[in-house]
Amino acid sequence: MSSYKKLASIDTARRRLLFHIGAAAAAGAAGTLPGVTLAQTREQATLASGSAGYTWALPFVAESGGYWKARNVDLKVLDFPTGRDSMQALLAGSANFSTTTDTPVVFAVLQGLKPGILANFSRYSYDMKVVAREGSGIVADQPASIKGKKIGTPAGTSGQYALAKYLEFAKLSASDITQVNLAPTDLIGALVRGDIDAFSWTAQAGNAALRQSGGKAFFLTQAGYEKYFRSHQLLLVNQNTLDTRQALVKDAIGALLDAEKRIAQDPAWPELIAGRIRSTAAEVKEATSVFEFKVGFDDSFIDDLVSQAKWAIDAKLAPAPAGDLRALFRAAIKDAPLSCLLYTSDAADDLLCV
């Protein structure tokens, strides 16, 4: 059985793994990590984050919960406006890891770049919204009312892909709207000024637009939208880190698995990251209620990547590569470290993953 398919049935191994990770974290809090002495130099690592929003809740919990520190890793986090920007920092060698959604990865792979997908840690269908302004002629419960409108979104991001799928949801085509390429920081101002009629971006940005417009903005319906759109949140790694720092790669995955466990078992986990994303715990809890937090891969992930790639190629946004798309994206998934950790049964076996 391939490591990819085995990830569908990991419960027993996961419980064993989390026992060892929990013990290591507890020991780390006491300053006595197994195999680590205070005299040892701490590992240094850099993570490029795809924004300071709750989209990256799970890695933020790993950061704020001290799960990197428990593994003797000092983590430096660089915040970027989008996952596309954070991935570019990774590919340029400015970071060991980056967080991004799947859309920038699809564009990168189609262009011949080689970001390594180390973990798929959460997914959602409803957090990416279409937000319109009053007076635009758009009707909240009529998706097709966006026809003929100017809609902003950052090109090359999940916002652009979500807009494309919303057009499909509304039974419209790309030629039925005018798409405006805007940075995330410019979307709200453009909407409030009336430069655009709507934008496709996060619920967090939508809520900010409601506040800044004095309530004169609104969300469009998404009833049934889950049949058209799903976004995956990913931890990427560059090839140099994957090849030369295997222990650090293992620690990165372990930190994510700890964060997954914390979210599943601690209802108060949003308090860990509320300050980090300049929000309240209640807002974080409500916003992420539509997220699935689970570290792992399944075959539907590749299905979604291939679907996005076909959209990008058909829309002439990216070149068609030689060879099979499914094989191309399967090669970008570096699941061996995660698979190894999930299937080790004790501390001795765990050493084989280094």
Side-chain angles (χ1 to χ4, degrees):
M1 184 186 299
S2 70
S3 63
Y4 199 74
K5 292 183 178 179
K6 285 191 290 185
L7 291 175
S9 57
I10 62 173
D11 289 346
T12 301
R14 180 185 288 265
R15 283 194 293 270
R16 289 197 297 263
L17 171 69
L18 292 176
F19 173 82
H20 293 305
I21 289 175
T32 56
L33 263 174
V36 176
T37 69
L38 294 178
Q40 284 182 294
T41 302
R42 294 182 65 82
E43 284 252 63
Q44 304 298 310
T46 301
L47 168 67
S49 178
S51 78
Y54 54 72
T55 298
W56 319 113
L58 195 146
F60 285 167
V61 169
E63 176 191 344
S64 300
Y67 297 120
W68 288 85
K69 289 183 178 179
R71 287 168 174 75
N72 204 44
V73 177
D74 289 331
L75 183 69
K76 178 181 180 181
V77 180
L78 307 175
D79 287 332
F80 290 85
T82 69
R84 178 191 59 196
D85 297 317
S86 66
M87 181 189 66
Q88 289 173 346
L90 174 90
L91 293 172
S94 300
N96 304 102
F97 307 99
S98 72
T99 57
T100 183
T101 57
D102 44 357
T103 304
V105 174
V106 167
F107 279 107
V109 171
L110 290 177
Q111 292 165 5
L113 301 175
K114 298 187 181 298
I117 306 172
L118 191 59
N120 180 351
F121 57 80
S122 65
R123 51 212 62 80
Y124 60 72
S125 291
Y126 296 112
D127 187 66
M128 200 60 66
K129 305 286 189 182
V130 177
V131 184
R133 60 175 177 84
E134 287 186 5
S136 64
I138 297 174
V139 182
D141 62 355
Q142 296 179 22
S145 64
I146 64 175
K147 184 175 182 178
K149 306 303 180 183
K150 292 169 63 176
I151 304 180
T153 195
T157 68
S158 55
Q160 183 182 22
Y161 182 60
L163 177 57
K165 301 308 285 185
Y166 200 86
L167 288 169
E168 184 180 339
F169 171 59
K171 296 180 172 55
L172 298 174
S173 66
S175 62
D176 287 321
I177 65 165
T178 300
Q179 183 175 305
V180 183
N181 179 20
L182 291 173
T185 51
D186 296 331
L187 290 171
I188 296 171
L191 186 75
V192 172
R193 289 191 305 269
D195 297 341
I196 56 175
D197 300 303
F199 67 71
S200 175
W201 199 233
T202 64
Q204 189 171 13
N207 287 325
L210 264 65
R211 292 192 296 269
Q212 293 186 31
S213 67
K216 295 182 179 180
F218 56 90
F219 294 104
L220 269 67
T221 182
Q222 289 182 305
Y225 184 53
E226 73 282 354
K227 298 175 183 177
Y228 297 83
F229 174 76
R230 183 167 69 154
S231 178
H232 299 265
Q233 288 67 63
L234 311 174
L235 181 69
L236 306 183
V237 62
N238 60 36
Q239 193 62 45
N240 182 61
T241 300
L242 192 65
D243 289 341
T244 66
R245 303 187 67 183
Q246 292 93 342
L248 176 62
V249 169
K250 184 184 99 173
D251 289 334
I253 295 171
L256 289 188
L257 288 167
D258 268 352
E260 179 198 308
K261 182 181 180 184
R262 180 70 174 267
I263 288 173
Q265 296 184 353
D266 180 9
W269 70 264
E271 296 174 7
L272 280 175
I273 69 170
R276 173 75 169 80
I277 62 174
R278 298 182 295 279
S279 186
T280 67
E283 288 173 343
V284 173
K285 184 175 182 179
E286 180 181 0
T288 59
S289 64
V290 298
F291 284 46
E292 177 194 22
F293 294 113
K294 186 175 182 180
V295 181
F297 295 106
D298 59 28
D299 285 338
S300 68
F301 174 55
I302 291 188
D303 294 340
D304 289 343
L305 295 181
V306 170
S307 177
Q308 287 199 56
K310 289 179 178 178
W311 157 73
I313 293 167
D314 290 345
K316 302 188 185 309
L317 298 172
D324 178 66
L325 283 174
R326 195 171 188 86
L328 184 67
F329 287 109
R330 181 64 188 88
I333 298 171
K334 310 302 181 182
D335 60 343
L338 173 60
S339 202
C340 188
L341 273 177
L342 289 172
Y343 283 94
T344 53
S345 60
D346 55 40
D349 286 344
D350 190 55
L351 292 174
L352 298 174
C353 295
V354 177

